[in-house]
mmCIF file of all heavy atoms in Angstrom:
data_model
loop_
_atom_site.group_PDB
_atom_site.id
_atom_site.type_symbol
_atom_site.label_atom_id
_atom_site.label_comp_id
_atom_site.label_asym_id
_atom_site.label_seq_id
_atom_site.Cartn_x
_atom_site.Cartn_y
_atom_site.Cartn_z
ATOM 1 N N ALA A 4 -7.009 47.061 169.994
ATOM 2 C CA ALA A 4 -7.221 48.084 170.996
ATOM 3 C C ALA A 4 -7.211 47.319 172.389
ATOM 4 O O ALA A 4 -6.541 47.887 173.359
ATOM 5 C CB ALA A 4 -8.432 48.839 170.856
ATOM 6 N N TYR A 5 -7.949 46.184 172.463
ATOM 7 C CA TYR A 5 -7.865 45.475 173.805
ATOM 8 C C TYR A 5 -6.464 44.945 174.065
ATOM 9 O O TYR A 5 -6.105 44.985 175.297
ATOM 10 C CB TYR A 5 -8.882 44.318 173.623
ATOM 11 C CG TYR A 5 -9.094 43.612 174.942
ATOM 12 C CD1 TYR A 5 -10.087 43.898 175.780
ATOM 13 C CD2 TYR A 5 -8.280 42.435 175.291
ATOM 14 C CE1 TYR A 5 -10.330 43.190 177.030
ATOM 15 C CE2 TYR A 5 -8.493 41.820 176.467
ATOM 16 C CZ TYR A 5 -9.420 42.132 177.336
ATOM 17 O OH TYR A 5 -9.584 41.446 178.521
ATOM 18 N N ASP A 6 -5.820 44.429 173.019
ATOM 19 C CA ASP A 6 -4.444 43.977 173.240
ATOM 20 C C ASP A 6 -3.532 44.996 173.733
ATOM 21 O O ASP A 6 -2.715 44.860 174.602
ATOM 22 C CB ASP A 6 -3.761 43.418 171.895
ATOM 23 C CG ASP A 6 -4.491 42.056 171.502
ATOM 24 O OD1 ASP A 6 -4.944 41.346 172.350
ATOM 25 O OD2 ASP A 6 -4.405 41.765 170.319
ATOM 26 N N ALA A 7 -3.674 46.202 173.120
ATOM 27 C CA ALA A 7 -2.856 47.350 173.545
ATOM 28 C C ALA A 7 -3.178 47.799 174.921
ATOM 29 O O ALA A 7 -2.182 48.089 175.753
ATOM 30 C CB ALA A 7 -3.156 48.509 172.550
ATOM 31 N N ALA A 8 -4.432 47.805 175.332
ATOM 32 C CA ALA A 8 -4.741 48.234 176.677
ATOM 33 C C ALA A 8 -4.259 47.203 177.696
ATOM 34 O O ALA A 8 -3.708 47.551 178.771
ATOM 35 C CB ALA A 8 -6.277 48.413 176.817
ATOM 36 N N GLN A 9 -4.326 45.852 177.378
ATOM 37 C CA GLN A 9 -3.974 44.868 178.242
ATOM 38 C C GLN A 9 -2.286 44.953 178.399
ATOM 39 O O GLN A 9 -1.779 44.806 179.520
ATOM 40 C CB GLN A 9 -4.258 43.515 177.707
ATOM 41 C CG GLN A 9 -4.517 42.436 178.764
ATOM 42 C CD GLN A 9 -5.227 41.246 178.187
ATOM 43 O OE1 GLN A 9 -5.029 40.809 177.095
ATOM 44 N NE2 GLN A 9 -6.113 40.750 178.985
ATOM 45 N N PHE A 10 -1.676 45.110 177.259
ATOM 46 C CA PHE A 10 -0.176 45.302 177.272
ATOM 47 C C PHE A 10 0.255 46.422 178.141
ATOM 48 O O PHE A 10 1.077 46.409 179.096
ATOM 49 C CB PHE A 10 0.272 45.555 175.843
ATOM 50 C CG PHE A 10 1.753 45.848 175.863
ATOM 51 C CD1 PHE A 10 2.782 44.927 175.978
ATOM 52 C CD2 PHE A 10 2.170 47.225 175.488
ATOM 53 C CE1 PHE A 10 4.032 45.205 175.962
ATOM 54 C CE2 PHE A 10 3.466 47.541 175.403
ATOM 55 C CZ PHE A 10 4.508 46.525 175.590
ATOM 56 N N LEU A 11 -0.430 47.619 177.987
ATOM 57 C CA LEU A 11 -0.095 48.903 178.774
ATOM 58 C C LEU A 11 -0.339 48.547 180.308
ATOM 59 O O LEU A 11 0.430 49.003 181.085
ATOM 60 C CB LEU A 11 -0.786 50.132 178.268
ATOM 61 C CG LEU A 11 -0.343 50.601 176.891
ATOM 62 C CD1 LEU A 11 -1.302 51.571 176.266
ATOM 63 C CD2 LEU A 11 1.042 51.123 176.914
ATOM 64 N N ALA A 12 -1.548 48.049 180.548
ATOM 65 C CA ALA A 12 -1.837 47.727 182.005
ATOM 66 C C ALA A 12 -0.955 46.865 182.617
ATOM 67 O O ALA A 12 -0.514 47.057 183.829
ATOM 68 C CB ALA A 12 -3.305 47.174 182.042
ATOM 69 N N THR A 13 -0.455 45.889 181.894
ATOM 70 C CA THR A 13 0.473 44.940 182.456
ATOM 71 C C THR A 13 1.926 45.560 182.619
ATOM 72 O O THR A 13 2.673 45.147 183.530
ATOM 73 C CB THR A 13 0.701 43.659 181.465
ATOM 74 O OG1 THR A 13 -0.609 43.160 181.237
ATOM 75 C CG2 THR A 13 1.528 42.542 182.217
ATOM 76 N N CYS A 14 2.261 46.567 181.777
ATOM 77 C CA CYS A 14 3.551 47.148 181.779
ATOM 78 C C CYS A 14 3.707 48.311 182.706
ATOM 79 O O CYS A 14 4.767 49.044 182.685
ATOM 80 C CB CYS A 14 3.882 47.596 180.400
ATOM 81 S SG CYS A 14 4.127 46.236 179.301
ATOM 82 N N ALA A 15 2.611 48.767 183.402
ATOM 83 C CA ALA A 15 2.675 49.781 184.374
ATOM 84 C C ALA A 15 3.964 49.517 185.272
ATOM 85 O O ALA A 15 4.017 48.564 186.021
ATOM 86 C CB ALA A 15 1.484 49.942 185.202
ATOM 87 N N GLY A 16 4.914 50.424 185.276
ATOM 88 C CA GLY A 16 6.076 50.328 186.145
ATOM 89 C C GLY A 16 7.228 49.530 185.483
ATOM 90 O O GLY A 16 8.334 49.574 186.033
ATOM 91 N N ASN A 17 6.993 48.819 184.362
ATOM 92 C CA ASN A 17 7.985 48.069 183.723
ATOM 93 C C ASN A 17 8.816 48.975 182.832
ATOM 94 O O ASN A 17 8.398 49.336 181.747
ATOM 95 C CB ASN A 17 7.427 46.943 182.849
ATOM 96 C CG ASN A 17 8.473 46.068 182.172
ATOM 97 O OD1 ASN A 17 9.497 46.476 181.870
ATOM 98 N ND2 ASN A 17 8.096 44.834 181.942
ATOM 99 N N GLN A 18 10.020 49.499 183.242
ATOM 100 C CA GLN A 18 10.716 50.415 182.548
ATOM 101 C C GLN A 18 11.185 49.948 181.097
ATOM 102 O O GLN A 18 11.084 50.787 180.159
ATOM 103 C CB GLN A 18 12.003 50.798 183.343
ATOM 104 C CG GLN A 18 11.706 51.570 184.642
ATOM 105 C CD GLN A 18 10.860 52.848 184.275
ATOM 106 O OE1 GLN A 18 11.411 53.866 183.833
ATOM 107 N NE2 GLN A 18 9.633 52.802 184.663
ATOM 108 N N GLN A 19 11.548 48.727 181.034
ATOM 109 C CA GLN A 19 12.014 48.169 179.644
ATOM 110 C C GLN A 19 10.884 48.330 178.619
ATOM 111 O O GLN A 19 11.046 48.804 177.514
ATOM 112 C CB GLN A 19 12.503 46.719 179.892
ATOM 113 C CG GLN A 19 13.281 46.204 178.663
ATOM 114 C CD GLN A 19 13.785 44.859 178.863
ATOM 115 O OE1 GLN A 19 13.586 44.262 179.951
ATOM 116 N NE2 GLN A 19 14.474 44.367 177.840
ATOM 117 N N ALA A 20 9.677 47.890 179.045
ATOM 118 C CA ALA A 20 8.576 47.932 178.162
ATOM 119 C C ALA A 20 8.103 49.410 177.895
ATOM 120 O O ALA A 20 7.761 49.692 176.809
ATOM 121 C CB ALA A 20 7.433 47.132 178.781
ATOM 122 N N LEU A 21 8.053 50.279 178.965
ATOM 123 C CA LEU A 21 7.689 51.666 178.778
ATOM 124 C C LEU A 21 8.609 52.368 177.766
ATOM 125 O O LEU A 21 8.269 53.239 177.088
ATOM 126 C CB LEU A 21 7.546 52.302 179.972
ATOM 127 C CG LEU A 21 6.325 51.865 180.860
ATOM 128 C CD1 LEU A 21 6.275 52.481 182.275
ATOM 129 C CD2 LEU A 21 4.928 52.383 180.126
ATOM 130 N N ASN A 22 9.899 52.128 177.955
ATOM 131 C CA ASN A 22 10.926 52.765 177.010
ATOM 132 C C ASN A 22 10.744 52.214 175.624
ATOM 133 O O ASN A 22 10.930 52.931 174.656
ATOM 134 C CB ASN A 22 12.285 52.416 177.518
ATOM 135 C CG ASN A 22 12.729 53.326 178.727
ATOM 136 O OD1 ASN A 22 12.253 54.503 178.771
ATOM 137 N ND2 ASN A 22 13.369 52.727 179.635
ATOM 138 N N PHE A 23 10.320 50.906 175.458
ATOM 139 C CA PHE A 23 10.091 50.400 174.150
ATOM 140 C C PHE A 23 8.878 51.097 173.466
ATOM 141 O O PHE A 23 8.967 51.310 172.243
ATOM 142 C CB PHE A 23 9.799 48.920 174.261
ATOM 143 C CG PHE A 23 9.262 48.161 172.994
ATOM 144 C CD1 PHE A 23 10.173 47.948 171.982
ATOM 145 C CD2 PHE A 23 7.991 47.859 172.890
ATOM 146 C CE1 PHE A 23 9.606 47.418 170.840
ATOM 147 C CE2 PHE A 23 7.472 47.227 171.781
ATOM 148 C CZ PHE A 23 8.291 46.981 170.724
ATOM 149 N N THR A 24 7.852 51.451 174.285
ATOM 150 C CA THR A 24 6.662 52.134 173.591
ATOM 151 C C THR A 24 7.115 53.514 172.996
ATOM 152 O O THR A 24 6.422 54.072 172.186
ATOM 153 C CB THR A 24 5.584 52.376 174.580
ATOM 154 O OG1 THR A 24 6.051 53.238 175.668
ATOM 155 C CG2 THR A 24 5.148 51.104 175.245
ATOM 156 N N ARG A 25 8.262 54.053 173.303
ATOM 157 C CA ARG A 25 8.641 55.336 172.887
ATOM 158 C C ARG A 25 8.907 55.475 171.397
ATOM 159 O O ARG A 25 8.883 56.415 170.703
ATOM 160 C CB ARG A 25 9.839 55.944 173.685
ATOM 161 C CG ARG A 25 9.519 56.058 175.082
ATOM 162 C CD ARG A 25 10.636 56.714 175.909
ATOM 163 N NE ARG A 25 10.893 58.024 175.396
ATOM 164 C CZ ARG A 25 11.764 58.860 176.063
ATOM 165 N NH1 ARG A 25 12.299 58.507 177.156
ATOM 166 N NH2 ARG A 25 12.022 60.076 175.539
ATOM 167 N N PHE A 26 9.194 54.245 170.796
ATOM 168 C CA PHE A 26 9.384 54.211 169.342
ATOM 169 C C PHE A 26 8.042 54.660 168.574
ATOM 170 O O PHE A 26 8.182 55.197 167.474
ATOM 171 C CB PHE A 26 9.766 52.817 168.934
ATOM 172 C CG PHE A 26 8.596 51.840 168.540
ATOM 173 C CD1 PHE A 26 8.083 51.771 167.282
ATOM 174 C CD2 PHE A 26 8.100 51.080 169.626
ATOM 175 C CE1 PHE A 26 6.988 50.918 167.009
ATOM 176 C CE2 PHE A 26 7.020 50.300 169.371
ATOM 177 C CZ PHE A 26 6.467 50.185 168.109
ATOM 178 N N LEU A 27 6.930 54.564 169.143
ATOM 179 C CA LEU A 27 5.734 55.030 168.534
ATOM 180 C C LEU A 27 5.675 56.509 168.359
ATOM 181 O O LEU A 27 5.151 56.952 167.376
ATOM 182 C CB LEU A 27 4.472 54.645 169.420
ATOM 183 C CG LEU A 27 4.056 53.302 169.640
ATOM 184 C CD1 LEU A 27 3.047 53.195 170.696
ATOM 185 C CD2 LEU A 27 3.425 52.759 168.336
ATOM 186 N N ASP A 28 6.373 57.263 169.197
ATOM 187 C CA ASP A 28 6.541 58.630 169.084
ATOM 188 C C ASP A 28 7.245 59.146 167.904
ATOM 189 O O ASP A 28 6.894 60.139 167.249
ATOM 190 C CB ASP A 28 7.134 59.181 170.429
ATOM 191 C CG ASP A 28 7.296 60.665 170.453
ATOM 192 O OD1 ASP A 28 6.194 61.224 170.060
ATOM 193 O OD2 ASP A 28 8.313 61.219 170.766
ATOM 194 N N ARG A 29 8.190 58.353 167.483
ATOM 195 C CA ARG A 29 9.059 58.665 166.278
ATOM 196 C C ARG A 29 8.254 58.626 165.065
ATOM 197 O O ARG A 29 8.517 59.340 164.067
ATOM 198 C CB ARG A 29 10.248 57.756 166.265
ATOM 199 C CG ARG A 29 11.141 57.948 167.492
ATOM 200 C CD ARG A 29 12.522 57.207 167.286
ATOM 201 N NE ARG A 29 13.190 57.057 168.573
ATOM 202 C CZ ARG A 29 13.276 55.997 169.295
ATOM 203 N NH1 ARG A 29 12.781 54.799 168.736
ATOM 204 N NH2 ARG A 29 13.922 55.945 170.418
ATOM 205 N N SER A 30 7.195 57.766 164.917
ATOM 206 C CA SER A 30 6.484 57.602 163.727
ATOM 207 C C SER A 30 5.413 58.744 163.608
ATOM 208 O O SER A 30 4.842 59.023 162.499
ATOM 209 C CB SER A 30 5.829 56.288 163.738
ATOM 210 O OG SER A 30 4.825 56.119 164.760
ATOM 211 N N ARG A 31 5.015 59.397 164.760
ATOM 212 C CA ARG A 31 4.141 60.527 164.829
ATOM 213 C C ARG A 31 2.959 60.275 163.859
ATOM 214 O O ARG A 31 2.779 60.844 162.748
ATOM 215 C CB ARG A 31 4.920 61.835 164.398
ATOM 216 C CG ARG A 31 5.704 62.438 165.458
ATOM 217 C CD ARG A 31 4.874 62.812 166.638
ATOM 218 N NE ARG A 31 5.627 63.336 167.686
ATOM 219 C CZ ARG A 31 5.665 64.764 167.907
ATOM 220 N NH1 ARG A 31 5.169 65.551 167.123
ATOM 221 N NH2 ARG A 31 6.458 65.099 168.936
ATOM 222 N N PRO A 32 2.034 59.435 164.261
ATOM 223 C CA PRO A 32 0.908 59.244 163.337
ATOM 224 C C PRO A 32 0.047 60.436 163.156
ATOM 225 O O PRO A 32 0.127 61.319 164.025
ATOM 226 C CB PRO A 32 0.039 58.075 164.071
ATOM 227 C CG PRO A 32 0.570 58.118 165.529
ATOM 228 C CD PRO A 32 2.004 58.721 165.487
ATOM 229 N N PRO A 33 -0.771 60.555 161.955
ATOM 230 C CA PRO A 33 -1.593 61.756 161.814
ATOM 231 C C PRO A 33 -2.603 61.929 162.952
ATOM 232 O O PRO A 33 -2.976 60.979 163.640
ATOM 233 C CB PRO A 33 -2.367 61.377 160.537
ATOM 234 C CG PRO A 33 -1.562 60.276 159.785
ATOM 235 C CD PRO A 33 -0.815 59.562 160.988
ATOM 236 N N ALA A 34 -3.179 63.148 163.130
ATOM 237 C CA ALA A 34 -3.991 63.553 164.181
ATOM 238 C C ALA A 34 -5.304 62.678 164.241
ATOM 239 O O ALA A 34 -5.720 62.282 165.303
ATOM 240 C CB ALA A 34 -4.369 64.914 164.086
ATOM 241 N N ALA A 35 -5.850 62.342 163.010
ATOM 242 C CA ALA A 35 -7.040 61.476 162.935
ATOM 243 C C ALA A 35 -6.728 60.061 163.555
ATOM 244 O O ALA A 35 -7.678 59.512 164.147
ATOM 245 C CB ALA A 35 -7.513 61.315 161.523
ATOM 246 N N ASP A 36 -5.537 59.524 163.225
ATOM 247 C CA ASP A 36 -5.185 58.211 163.744
ATOM 248 C C ASP A 36 -5.025 58.268 165.187
ATOM 249 O O ASP A 36 -5.372 57.299 165.898
ATOM 250 C CB ASP A 36 -3.885 57.740 162.946
ATOM 251 C CG ASP A 36 -4.055 57.413 161.531
ATOM 252 O OD1 ASP A 36 -5.239 57.388 161.159
ATOM 253 O OD2 ASP A 36 -3.100 57.173 160.890
ATOM 254 N N VAL A 37 -4.406 59.337 165.638
ATOM 255 C CA VAL A 37 -4.211 59.437 167.206
ATOM 256 C C VAL A 37 -5.618 59.492 167.932
ATOM 257 O O VAL A 37 -5.819 58.893 168.966
ATOM 258 C CB VAL A 37 -3.393 60.742 167.456
ATOM 259 C CG1 VAL A 37 -3.380 61.043 168.973
ATOM 260 C CG2 VAL A 37 -1.995 60.556 166.974
ATOM 261 N N ASP A 38 -6.550 60.258 167.336
ATOM 262 C CA ASP A 38 -7.799 60.413 167.897
ATOM 263 C C ASP A 38 -8.545 59.072 167.978
ATOM 264 O O ASP A 38 -9.166 58.679 168.939
ATOM 265 C CB ASP A 38 -8.685 61.398 167.098
ATOM 266 C CG ASP A 38 -9.859 61.876 167.788
ATOM 267 O OD1 ASP A 38 -9.759 62.366 168.958
ATOM 268 O OD2 ASP A 38 -11.005 61.648 167.309
ATOM 269 N N PHE A 39 -8.468 58.325 166.853
ATOM 270 C CA PHE A 39 -9.035 56.947 166.762
ATOM 271 C C PHE A 39 -8.409 56.016 167.824
ATOM 272 O O PHE A 39 -9.128 55.322 168.508
ATOM 273 C CB PHE A 39 -8.833 56.341 165.300
ATOM 274 C CG PHE A 39 -9.474 55.072 165.181
ATOM 275 C CD1 PHE A 39 -10.818 54.835 164.979
ATOM 276 C CD2 PHE A 39 -8.603 53.863 165.088
ATOM 277 C CE1 PHE A 39 -11.334 53.554 164.709
ATOM 278 C CE2 PHE A 39 -9.138 52.589 164.966
ATOM 279 C CZ PHE A 39 -10.481 52.437 164.755
ATOM 280 N N LEU A 40 -7.079 55.976 167.884
ATOM 281 C CA LEU A 40 -6.315 55.220 168.870
ATOM 282 C C LEU A 40 -6.703 55.592 170.306
ATOM 283 O O LEU A 40 -6.934 54.696 171.053
ATOM 284 C CB LEU A 40 -4.878 55.445 168.660
ATOM 285 C CG LEU A 40 -3.785 54.713 169.622
ATOM 286 C CD1 LEU A 40 -3.814 53.280 169.334
ATOM 287 C CD2 LEU A 40 -2.458 55.334 169.526
ATOM 288 N N ASP A 41 -6.834 56.926 170.532
ATOM 289 C CA ASP A 41 -7.245 57.375 171.870
ATOM 290 C C ASP A 41 -8.495 56.867 172.260
ATOM 291 O O ASP A 41 -8.697 56.335 173.377
ATOM 292 C CB ASP A 41 -7.145 58.912 171.824
ATOM 293 C CG ASP A 41 -7.313 59.518 173.310
ATOM 294 O OD1 ASP A 41 -7.020 58.881 174.234
ATOM 295 O OD2 ASP A 41 -7.698 60.649 173.306
ATOM 296 N N GLU A 42 -9.534 56.974 171.414
ATOM 297 C CA GLU A 42 -10.929 56.533 171.714
ATOM 298 C C GLU A 42 -10.967 55.038 171.990
ATOM 299 O O GLU A 42 -11.593 54.597 173.065
ATOM 300 C CB GLU A 42 -11.763 56.958 170.552
ATOM 301 C CG GLU A 42 -13.303 56.566 170.639
ATOM 302 C CD GLU A 42 -14.012 57.495 171.581
ATOM 303 O OE1 GLU A 42 -14.242 58.651 171.246
ATOM 304 O OE2 GLU A 42 -14.515 57.015 172.577
ATOM 305 N N LYS A 43 -10.407 54.293 171.110
ATOM 306 C CA LYS A 43 -10.389 52.808 171.113
ATOM 307 C C LYS A 43 -9.714 52.199 172.397
ATOM 308 O O LYS A 43 -10.136 51.402 173.109
ATOM 309 C CB LYS A 43 -9.812 52.132 169.982
ATOM 310 C CG LYS A 43 -10.736 52.334 168.688
ATOM 311 C CD LYS A 43 -11.971 51.517 168.827
ATOM 312 C CE LYS A 43 -12.889 51.592 167.633
ATOM 313 N NZ LYS A 43 -14.133 50.872 167.773
ATOM 314 N N VAL A 44 -8.400 52.845 172.658
ATOM 315 C CA VAL A 44 -7.693 52.291 173.758
ATOM 316 C C VAL A 44 -8.291 52.680 175.122
ATOM 317 O O VAL A 44 -8.310 51.893 176.052
ATOM 318 C CB VAL A 44 -6.215 52.660 173.671
ATOM 319 C CG1 VAL A 44 -5.334 52.208 174.848
ATOM 320 C CG2 VAL A 44 -5.551 52.012 172.420
ATOM 321 N N ALA A 45 -8.748 53.916 175.217
ATOM 322 C CA ALA A 45 -9.368 54.313 176.444
ATOM 323 C C ALA A 45 -10.624 53.475 176.745
ATOM 324 O O ALA A 45 -10.927 53.167 177.913
ATOM 325 C CB ALA A 45 -9.707 55.850 176.422
ATOM 326 N N LEU A 46 -11.516 53.280 175.754
ATOM 327 C CA LEU A 46 -12.643 52.411 175.876
ATOM 328 C C LEU A 46 -12.279 50.967 176.334
ATOM 329 O O LEU A 46 -12.948 50.394 177.128
ATOM 330 C CB LEU A 46 -13.411 52.429 174.585
ATOM 331 C CG LEU A 46 -14.907 51.893 174.547
ATOM 332 C CD1 LEU A 46 -15.672 52.836 175.434
ATOM 333 C CD2 LEU A 46 -15.463 51.944 173.172
ATOM 334 N N ALA A 47 -11.170 50.398 175.658
ATOM 335 C CA ALA A 47 -10.731 49.036 176.023
ATOM 336 C C ALA A 47 -10.203 49.069 177.477
ATOM 337 O O ALA A 47 -10.582 48.085 178.229
ATOM 338 C CB ALA A 47 -9.652 48.622 175.115
ATOM 339 N N PHE A 48 -9.544 50.090 177.958
ATOM 340 C CA PHE A 48 -9.090 50.221 179.308
ATOM 341 C C PHE A 48 -10.273 50.148 180.338
ATOM 342 O O PHE A 48 -10.286 49.568 181.334
ATOM 343 C CB PHE A 48 -8.410 51.428 179.521
ATOM 344 C CG PHE A 48 -6.857 51.275 179.805
ATOM 345 C CD1 PHE A 48 -5.927 51.510 178.810
ATOM 346 C CD2 PHE A 48 -6.397 50.777 181.005
ATOM 347 C CE1 PHE A 48 -4.617 51.394 179.042
ATOM 348 C CE2 PHE A 48 -5.078 50.580 181.260
ATOM 349 C CZ PHE A 48 -4.138 50.825 180.238
ATOM 350 N N ARG A 49 -11.476 50.838 179.888
ATOM 351 C CA ARG A 49 -12.634 50.916 180.706
ATOM 352 C C ARG A 49 -13.298 49.519 180.829
ATOM 353 O O ARG A 49 -13.877 49.250 181.832
ATOM 354 C CB ARG A 49 -13.761 51.853 180.159
ATOM 355 C CG ARG A 49 -13.293 53.290 180.294
ATOM 356 C CD ARG A 49 -14.357 54.144 179.602
ATOM 357 N NE ARG A 49 -13.942 55.530 179.635
ATOM 358 C CZ ARG A 49 -14.212 56.279 180.693
ATOM 359 N NH1 ARG A 49 -14.915 55.921 181.661
ATOM 360 N NH2 ARG A 49 -13.898 57.661 180.645
ATOM 361 N N HIS A 50 -13.080 48.646 179.870
ATOM 362 C CA HIS A 50 -13.581 47.280 179.925
ATOM 363 C C HIS A 50 -12.636 46.256 180.510
ATOM 364 O O HIS A 50 -13.077 45.106 180.750
ATOM 365 C CB HIS A 50 -14.062 46.887 178.568
ATOM 366 C CG HIS A 50 -15.147 47.614 177.938
ATOM 367 N ND1 HIS A 50 -15.486 47.795 176.559
ATOM 368 C CD2 HIS A 50 -16.250 48.140 178.618
ATOM 369 C CE1 HIS A 50 -16.507 48.511 176.440
ATOM 370 N NE2 HIS A 50 -17.034 48.808 177.628
ATOM 371 N N LEU A 51 -11.365 46.640 180.737
ATOM 372 C CA LEU A 51 -10.515 45.667 181.337
ATOM 373 C C LEU A 51 -10.853 45.358 182.860
ATOM 374 O O LEU A 51 -11.307 46.339 183.564
ATOM 375 C CB LEU A 51 -9.078 46.282 181.372
ATOM 376 C CG LEU A 51 -8.241 46.203 180.097
ATOM 377 C CD1 LEU A 51 -6.813 46.776 180.348
ATOM 378 C CD2 LEU A 51 -8.128 44.812 179.481
#
C-alpha cells in the first residue's frame, strides 16, 4: 500500500504512468478488494 501511494504521488502529472494504471480497470477487482485497497492506500497517502 505504501509502495502504491508513493508510486501514485510520484506519478501525478506523468501521462505515461497514469495511462499505464488504467490496466487495473480492466481486471475489475471484487468490491471487497476495492474497499480494502481504498482504505490501505488512502491511509498510506496520509502517512507520506
Side-chain angles (χ1 to χ4, degrees):
Y5 186 90
D6 287 338
Q9 208 164 40
F10 171 75
L11 290 168
T13 308
C14 292
N17 182 331
Q18 291 305 290
Q19 195 175 359
L21 287 169
N22 284 323
F23 170 70
T24 63
R25 297 185 63 168
F26 85 92
L27 289 169
D28 183 43
R29 298 189 193 109
S30 63
R31 282 299 177 96
D36 290 351
V37 169
D38 195 55
F39 179 79
L40 176 74
D41 188 22
E42 180 76 64
K43 289 289 181 187
V44 174
L46 197 58
F48 248 107
R49 287 175 183 275
H50 290 153
L51 280 184

